Amino acid sequence: MMQRAMSARLVSLATSLLFVSLFVVGCGTTAPSTSVSYEPSSNRTNFQTGTMTVGRIGGGSYGSNTSILLSAQAQCSGQNCTPERARLSFLLQGSSSDVAISNRSVSLVADGKEYARRDAVNWKSREDIRMSQGRIASLTLPLSALSEIANASSLSGQLGSNSLSLDRGVRTRLKQFVETMRNPPAETASEAS
């Protein structure tokens, strides 16, 4: 009888440990950080990361609690192709509120080398400031430049007067994005035409 009780406890303990280990492993796994899809109708392969939070709109004004997000996209002709360029898009979280942004210049500094897109618009008055929803700025780069940014040991950035937080997690996602583009999967999801 005692041996049965001991066996039952061991089975219960083993089951509990198995459940906990599956739960921990399951929580640690995520979907691939880069999605790849092929559009047969246009013979085009699209690569895209999910969004990553990289900052907040600064200041005490309306919209100052709005997150700045980063997403990377690229496309190339054909299937199993490698894009030559990629676009980094800076977005505002949510689409229900307008936020006034007067300076949409983007600057990334990777190991001392600057990659930038300067906003050529000079605002003459408060009425000239455009309201923003969704994408507020983008930076298109050759794949080699994006690789340098992703592999930089030191990376900083600015969007207008707002500092960007481009930590190890962001760089890791960008590295995975570059690696996926350089080595596209043999099969990609086809999008409905």
Side-chain angles (χ1 to χ4, degrees):
M1 185 70 128
M2 187 126 164
Q3 193 172 12
R4 274 188 156 174
M6 183 68 105
S7 292
R9 284 186 187 152
L10 286 175
V11 168
S12 175
L13 179 61
T15 303
S16 296
L17 287 174
L18 179 62
F19 175 78
V20 168
S21 65
L22 287 174
F23 179 76
V24 170
V25 170
C27 287
T29 59
T30 59
S33 63
T34 301
S35 67
V36 182
S37 60
Y38 175 69
E39 295 177 10
S41 62
S42 61
N43 191 31
R44 182 175 48 199
T45 300
N46 299 301
F47 299 82
Q48 183 163 344
T49 67
T51 56
M52 302 164 262
T53 302
V54 294
R56 290 201 167 286
I57 298 293
S61 62
Y62 176 74
S64 63
N65 253 348
T66 302
S67 293
I68 301 170
L69 307 174
L70 169 65
S71 175
Q73 309 85 30
Q75 61 184 13
C76 52
S77 295
Q79 200 167 9
N80 301 322
C81 54
T82 299
E84 294 178 15
R85 305 181 72 72
R87 183 178 68 212
L88 298 179
S89 295
F90 295 88
L91 316 141
L92 295 179
Q93 184 174 25
S95 60
S96 60
S97 64
D98 290 328
V99 177
I101 298 175
S102 60
N103 184 347
R104 295 166 189 251
S105 296
V106 177
S107 172
L108 302 177
V109 179
D111 292 336
K113 186 174 181 181
E114 184 178 34
Y115 303 89
R117 192 200 111 234
R118 304 287 181 216
D119 188 2
V121 177
N122 292 318
W123 307 107
K124 294 181 176 123
S125 70
R126 191 171 181 88
E127 289 75 35
D128 289 340
I129 297 174
R130 293 178 288 176
M131 299 304 272
S132 296
Q133 286 186 338
R135 189 174 77 191
I136 53 175
S138 64
L139 183 61
T140 301
L141 301 162
L143 192 54
S144 59
L146 183 57
S147 181
E148 289 174 9
I149 290 169
N151 289 296
S153 57
S154 169
L155 181 62
S156 61
Q158 289 279 128
L159 174 60
S161 61
N162 300 288
S163 293
L164 300 175
S165 174
L166 304 165
D167 60 16
R168 185 180 306 176
V170 171
R171 290 193 310 267
T172 298
R173 299 263 309 265
L174 292 176
K175 281 182 197 178
Q176 292 168 342
F177 180 64
V178 169
E179 185 63 28
T180 301
M181 288 188 293
R182 286 188 172 150
N183 302 296
E187 292 185 27
T188 58
S190 291
E191 295 181 349
S193 38

